Short mmCIF file of all heavy atoms in Angstrom, two decimals:
data_model
loop_
_atom_site.label_atom_id
_atom_site.label_comp_id
_atom_site.label_asym_id
_atom_site.label_seq_id
_atom_site.Cartn_x
_atom_site.Cartn_y
_atom_site.Cartn_z
N PHE A 672 -20.32 50.47 8.43
CA PHE A 672 -20.69 49.15 8.95
C PHE A 672 -21.06 48.20 7.82
O PHE A 672 -20.64 47.04 7.80
CB PHE A 672 -21.87 49.29 9.92
CG PHE A 672 -22.29 48.00 10.55
CD1 PHE A 672 -21.68 47.55 11.70
CD2 PHE A 672 -23.30 47.23 9.99
CE1 PHE A 672 -22.06 46.35 12.29
CE2 PHE A 672 -23.69 46.03 10.57
CZ PHE A 672 -23.06 45.59 11.72
N THR A 673 -21.86 48.68 6.87
CA THR A 673 -22.26 47.83 5.75
C THR A 673 -21.07 47.45 4.89
O THR A 673 -20.95 46.30 4.45
CB THR A 673 -23.32 48.55 4.89
OG1 THR A 673 -24.39 48.98 5.73
CG2 THR A 673 -23.86 47.63 3.82
N LEU A 674 -20.17 48.38 4.66
CA LEU A 674 -18.97 48.10 3.87
C LEU A 674 -18.12 47.04 4.56
O LEU A 674 -17.62 46.11 3.90
CB LEU A 674 -18.17 49.38 3.65
CG LEU A 674 -16.93 49.26 2.77
CD1 LEU A 674 -17.30 48.81 1.36
CD2 LEU A 674 -16.17 50.59 2.72
N GLY A 675 -17.93 47.17 5.86
CA GLY A 675 -17.15 46.17 6.59
C GLY A 675 -17.82 44.81 6.59
O GLY A 675 -17.16 43.77 6.42
N LEU A 676 -19.15 44.78 6.76
CA LEU A 676 -19.87 43.51 6.78
C LEU A 676 -19.77 42.79 5.44
O LEU A 676 -19.50 41.59 5.37
CB LEU A 676 -21.34 43.77 7.15
CG LEU A 676 -22.28 42.56 7.11
CD1 LEU A 676 -21.89 41.54 8.17
CD2 LEU A 676 -23.73 43.00 7.30
N THR A 677 -20.01 43.51 4.35
CA THR A 677 -19.96 42.89 3.02
C THR A 677 -18.55 42.47 2.65
O THR A 677 -18.36 41.50 1.91
CB THR A 677 -20.52 43.86 1.97
OG1 THR A 677 -19.87 45.14 2.10
CG2 THR A 677 -22.01 44.06 2.15
N THR A 678 -17.54 43.18 3.17
CA THR A 678 -16.15 42.77 2.90
C THR A 678 -15.86 41.43 3.57
O THR A 678 -15.22 40.55 2.96
CB THR A 678 -15.18 43.84 3.41
OG1 THR A 678 -15.45 45.08 2.75
CG2 THR A 678 -13.74 43.44 3.14
N LEU A 679 -16.30 41.24 4.78
CA LEU A 679 -16.13 39.95 5.45
C LEU A 679 -16.89 38.84 4.73
O LEU A 679 -16.38 37.72 4.57
CB LEU A 679 -16.60 40.05 6.91
CG LEU A 679 -15.77 40.92 7.85
CD1 LEU A 679 -16.41 40.97 9.22
CD2 LEU A 679 -14.35 40.37 7.96
N LEU A 680 -18.09 39.17 4.28
CA LEU A 680 -18.87 38.17 3.54
C LEU A 680 -18.20 37.82 2.22
O LEU A 680 -18.32 36.67 1.74
CB LEU A 680 -20.29 38.70 3.29
CG LEU A 680 -21.19 38.79 4.51
CD1 LEU A 680 -22.56 39.35 4.12
CD2 LEU A 680 -21.37 37.41 5.16
N ASP A 681 -17.50 38.76 1.61
CA ASP A 681 -16.78 38.47 0.37
C ASP A 681 -15.74 37.39 0.59
O ASP A 681 -15.60 36.46 -0.22
CB ASP A 681 -16.12 39.76 -0.14
CG ASP A 681 -15.25 39.52 -1.36
OD1 ASP A 681 -15.72 38.85 -2.30
OD2 ASP A 681 -14.09 39.97 -1.35
N VAL A 682 -15.00 37.48 1.69
CA VAL A 682 -14.00 36.45 1.99
C VAL A 682 -14.67 35.09 2.19
O VAL A 682 -14.21 34.06 1.68
CB VAL A 682 -13.20 36.85 3.25
CG1 VAL A 682 -12.24 35.73 3.65
CG2 VAL A 682 -12.44 38.14 3.02
N VAL A 683 -15.79 35.08 2.92
CA VAL A 683 -16.51 33.82 3.17
C VAL A 683 -16.99 33.21 1.87
O VAL A 683 -16.83 32.00 1.63
CB VAL A 683 -17.68 34.07 4.13
CG1 VAL A 683 -18.54 32.82 4.26
CG2 VAL A 683 -17.17 34.50 5.49
N VAL A 684 -17.59 34.03 1.01
CA VAL A 684 -18.16 33.51 -0.24
C VAL A 684 -17.07 32.98 -1.16
O VAL A 684 -17.19 31.90 -1.75
CB VAL A 684 -19.00 34.61 -0.93
CG1 VAL A 684 -19.40 34.18 -2.34
CG2 VAL A 684 -20.24 34.92 -0.11
N VAL A 685 -15.97 33.73 -1.31
CA VAL A 685 -14.90 33.30 -2.22
C VAL A 685 -14.26 32.00 -1.73
O VAL A 685 -14.00 31.08 -2.51
CB VAL A 685 -13.84 34.41 -2.37
CG1 VAL A 685 -12.63 33.89 -3.13
CG2 VAL A 685 -14.44 35.60 -3.11
N PHE A 686 -14.02 31.90 -0.42
CA PHE A 686 -13.34 30.73 0.12
C PHE A 686 -14.24 29.50 0.15
O PHE A 686 -13.78 28.39 -0.15
CB PHE A 686 -12.83 31.02 1.54
CG PHE A 686 -11.47 31.67 1.56
CD1 PHE A 686 -11.28 32.96 1.08
CD2 PHE A 686 -10.38 30.99 2.06
CE1 PHE A 686 -10.04 33.56 1.11
CE2 PHE A 686 -9.12 31.57 2.08
CZ PHE A 686 -8.95 32.86 1.60
N PHE A 687 -15.49 29.68 0.52
CA PHE A 687 -16.35 28.53 0.77
C PHE A 687 -17.42 28.30 -0.29
O PHE A 687 -18.23 27.39 -0.15
CB PHE A 687 -17.03 28.67 2.14
CG PHE A 687 -16.05 28.70 3.28
CD1 PHE A 687 -15.69 29.91 3.85
CD2 PHE A 687 -15.48 27.53 3.75
CE1 PHE A 687 -14.78 29.95 4.89
CE2 PHE A 687 -14.57 27.56 4.79
CZ PHE A 687 -14.22 28.78 5.36
N PHE A 688 -17.43 29.11 -1.33
CA PHE A 688 -18.42 28.88 -2.40
C PHE A 688 -17.78 28.98 -3.78
O PHE A 688 -17.86 28.04 -4.57
CB PHE A 688 -19.56 29.88 -2.28
CG PHE A 688 -20.68 29.62 -3.25
CD1 PHE A 688 -21.61 28.61 -3.01
CD2 PHE A 688 -20.81 30.36 -4.41
CE1 PHE A 688 -22.64 28.35 -3.90
CE2 PHE A 688 -21.83 30.12 -5.31
CZ PHE A 688 -22.75 29.10 -5.06
N THR A 689 -17.13 30.12 -4.10
CA THR A 689 -16.58 30.31 -5.43
C THR A 689 -15.48 29.30 -5.74
O THR A 689 -15.47 28.68 -6.81
CB THR A 689 -16.03 31.73 -5.58
OG1 THR A 689 -17.04 32.67 -5.19
CG2 THR A 689 -15.63 32.01 -7.02
N LYS A 690 -14.53 29.14 -4.82
CA LYS A 690 -13.43 28.20 -5.04
C LYS A 690 -13.93 26.76 -5.18
O LYS A 690 -13.57 26.07 -6.16
CB LYS A 690 -12.43 28.31 -3.88
CG LYS A 690 -11.42 27.18 -3.77
CD LYS A 690 -10.56 27.05 -5.03
CE LYS A 690 -9.41 26.07 -4.84
NZ LYS A 690 -9.84 24.71 -4.43
N PRO A 691 -14.76 26.21 -4.29
CA PRO A 691 -15.25 24.84 -4.49
C PRO A 691 -16.08 24.69 -5.77
O PRO A 691 -16.00 23.65 -6.45
CB PRO A 691 -16.11 24.58 -3.25
CG PRO A 691 -15.60 25.53 -2.23
CD PRO A 691 -15.17 26.74 -2.99
N LEU A 692 -16.87 25.73 -6.09
CA LEU A 692 -17.71 25.63 -7.29
C LEU A 692 -16.85 25.58 -8.55
O LEU A 692 -17.14 24.81 -9.48
CB LEU A 692 -18.66 26.83 -7.34
CG LEU A 692 -19.77 26.77 -8.40
CD1 LEU A 692 -20.65 25.54 -8.19
CD2 LEU A 692 -20.62 28.04 -8.36
#
Side-chain angles (χ1 to χ4, degrees):
F672 183 86
T673 307
L674 184 61
L676 175 65
T677 51
T678 301
L679 292 177
L680 290 179
D681 175 49
V682 175
V683 173
V684 170
V685 171
F686 274 67
F687 298 100
F688 186 78
T689 308
K690 166 59 171 57
L692 190 60

